Amino acid sequence: MTDLAADRQTESELVHWQLAVEALADLDTMAAPEAWQALEDYLQRQVRGRLSEVVTVLVAEGRALHRRLGAGGDPAEVRQAVLRLRARYLQVETILDFYGDAVNSRTNPALRALLRGYDTLAGDSMAAVLNRLGIESPPALIYLDRGLGAAILRAGIRLWDHSHPSPAAAIKLTRHNLAYPTALLHETGHQVAHLTGWTTELADALGTVLAPRSRELAELWRGWAGEIAADVHAFAQAGWAPVAALANVVDGPPQAVFRIRFTDPHPFPFLRVMVNAELCRSWFGAGPWDDVAAVWRQRNPLADAPGDVAALTRLSVAALPDIVDVCTRRPMAAFGGAPLSALLDPRRVSPAALESLARQAGPSLLTSAYLRRREPLRILAHLSTRAVLEPAAAAEHQARLLAWVTDVGADAAPRSHHQAA
């Protein structure tokens, strides 16, 4: 093959990837225009602006490479640069597809209003801690997907192109838990822990308090600190509501609920349910969380666990009061030298406190725009327990919760919608 033929082939390949890159600039091919319009104005600007920036950088890279080829650049070096451009295109396409899928879930008007409500509640959840610490709370973009558990792509982390930070806290809610949305507060807990540095500090604190019991136990709980922090954050904002939802997600036969995966940042299911029940017991005393824990013990006797796991489980269960104290009552530099409970007082979401709120508000609990903005997370916590406490009326309670969240979304509707009205 002649050098001229190789140059022509390289130019052809470069043009192909240039055109592909430039086509990414039309973000309306990734998500429908009406889906973009369904976002809050500030969220649309944040997400579209960041994605456009990612594409612009890549377009400039392609054009610079074309000039380099035209100026007689070294063919071997240009060829390698074309391959890098191709790889970068695939990375950026992945970024756009991820956000495009998330935004596109809003093309259905009813779901659009509901997800907008969850955007607002997620923002409220993060702001409850971050604003008090002088940390800017990122926007949240909630999307619906299949599966058992929720997930988050945290705002500020480097995206797949390793250059640009994620423009929003993109949080997946699963379809089966759309009306049991306390997993939302677990995922916002990951964002809060990331921005405050809580996870590292909590890992060290857990390791220190557990080391006298067992070095292996201490190392396991250190590795689980990120997920424990997120669970504690959800508890502090929603009380016992997350317990039942969590139990549904992590349930399974004994061999599954006692299985330790050493690359998994989550405590194995049995311990995770026990620590969530202990959070409630420590702050609220006896209650329905005790029934959940008792049923889990009955269904999953320690005799069914492998010997080493059973030993670690016994040590962990004995240490649960200490673990809860470290997580909720120990002062943390991440929280300005205060414990988490000073920023998020769990007593405000105790069953008694939530019942008092509902009783005082009466019918206005579900209709008052003032209460939706003043007490959004407490109302969410209250509504999230109704279907669990009254399973015979679960469908009715779920419908009320979803209608209330939709009203939260209507309160936060994009300004352009208001102007059009």
Side-chain angles (χ1 to χ4, degrees):
M1 183 175 67
T2 66
D3 290 343
L4 185 58
D7 289 346
R8 283 199 302 266
Q9 180 63 24
T10 298
E11 182 176 19
S12 173
E13 293 163 349
L14 173 56
V15 168
H16 172 86
W17 291 113
Q18 267 191 286
L19 293 174
V21 165
E22 291 173 5
L24 294 178
D26 184 2
L27 297 180
D28 288 343
T29 64
M30 298 293 172
E34 59 267 27
W36 285 112
Q37 288 300 319
L39 299 179
E40 271 270 31
D41 287 354
Y42 76 93
L43 181 56
Q44 183 182 160
R45 289 194 301 272
Q46 186 92 349
V47 173
R48 284 191 71 117
R50 181 61 50 76
L51 297 181
S52 294
E53 179 184 336
V54 171
V55 175
T56 297
V57 169
L58 197 55
V59 167
E61 185 177 322
R63 291 175 179 171
L65 184 54
H66 206 145
R67 289 193 297 271
R68 182 177 168 189
L69 180 64
D74 180 83
E77 291 181 0
V78 171
R79 164 69 178 155
Q80 291 304 310
V82 170
L83 291 176
R84 286 195 297 273
L85 180 67
R86 174 182 179 271
R88 293 260 287 155
Y89 166 86
L90 295 173
Q91 292 169 338
V92 172
E93 183 184 51
T94 301
I95 297 170
L96 267 61
D97 275 346
F98 173 83
Y99 277 102
D101 288 346
V103 173
N104 247 344
S105 65
R106 299 179 181 233
T107 51
N108 176 287
L111 185 58
R112 177 187 313 159
L114 183 64
L115 294 180
R116 194 160 56 227
Y118 282 134
D119 288 345
T120 302
L121 291 166
D124 292 339
S125 170
M126 293 183 285
V129 174
L130 297 177
N131 286 2
R132 294 186 63 180
L133 298 173
I135 300 172
E136 184 178 358
S137 184
L141 173 65
I142 312 303
Y143 65 100
L144 192 63
D145 208 345
R146 65 187 182 277
L148 282 175
I152 183 171
L153 173 66
R154 295 193 308 268
I157 68 165
R158 295 294 169 181
L159 292 170
W160 295 267
D161 69 343
H162 307 298
S163 299
H164 294 82
S166 175
I171 298 173
K172 166 190 155 184
L173 278 185
T174 56
R175 289 184 179 88
H176 77 93
N177 259 348
L178 193 59
Y180 291 93
T182 52
L184 184 75
L185 308 179
H186 172 95
E187 301 307 332
T188 57
H190 280 302
Q191 183 72 65
V192 168
H194 171 68
L195 292 175
T196 60
W198 183 29
T199 298
T200 300
E201 189 175 5
L202 181 60
D204 290 342
L206 288 170
T208 298
V209 79
L210 294 175
R213 296 174 183 265
S214 160
R215 185 176 301 276
E216 183 182 7
L217 185 75
E219 286 308 305
L220 275 173
W221 281 90
R222 281 181 61 89
W224 293 334
E227 295 298 330
I228 292 298
D231 276 357
V232 171
H233 181 267
F235 158 75
Q237 293 192 325
W240 78 275
V243 175
L246 170 68
N248 283 333
V249 169
V250 301
D251 199 6
Q255 63 266 30
V257 303
F258 285 118
R259 183 179 298 131
I260 297 179
R261 295 182 173 91
F262 288 96
T263 58
D264 189 347
H266 301 82
F268 54 90
F270 183 87
L271 271 189
R272 196 167 169 201
V273 170
M274 292 302 121
V275 75
N276 275 266
E278 182 65 27
L279 284 163
C280 298
R281 191 177 302 114
S282 177
W283 282 92
F284 308 148
W289 43 89
D290 294 316
D291 292 340
V292 175
V295 169
W296 268 65
R297 289 192 186 96
Q298 181 181 22
R299 289 176 177 171
N300 306 289
L302 277 181
D304 291 345
D308 55 342
V309 176
L312 285 168
T313 301
R314 290 189 184 93
L315 285 170
S316 294
V317 169
L320 285 179
D322 290 342
I323 291 169
V324 168
D325 281 346
V326 168
C327 291
T328 60
R329 296 183 176 94
R330 176 172 293 198
M332 294 277 172
F335 304 132
L340 175 67
S341 55
L343 279 70
L344 299 174
D345 186 351
R347 292 169 295 187
R348 296 191 74 244
V349 288
S350 70
L354 295 179
E355 286 296 335
S356 177
L357 171 66
R359 186 171 57 253
Q360 291 175 22
S364 68
L365 184 76
L366 299 179
T367 60
S368 169
Y370 170 77
L371 284 176
R372 283 196 295 270
R373 296 316 307 135
R374 182 175 176 82
E375 298 284 8
L377 298 178
R378 295 179 76 208
I379 295 174
L380 179 69
H382 172 74
L383 295 177
S384 296
T385 63
R386 298 302 91 190
V388 178
L389 292 174
E390 301 177 51
E396 182 180 349
H397 288 306
Q398 286 189 26
R400 285 179 180 150
L401 184 150
L402 294 175
W404 178 81
V405 175
T406 297
D407 287 340
V408 173
D411 293 341
R415 294 188 200 91
S416 57
H417 288 200
H418 293 311
Q419 292 166 354

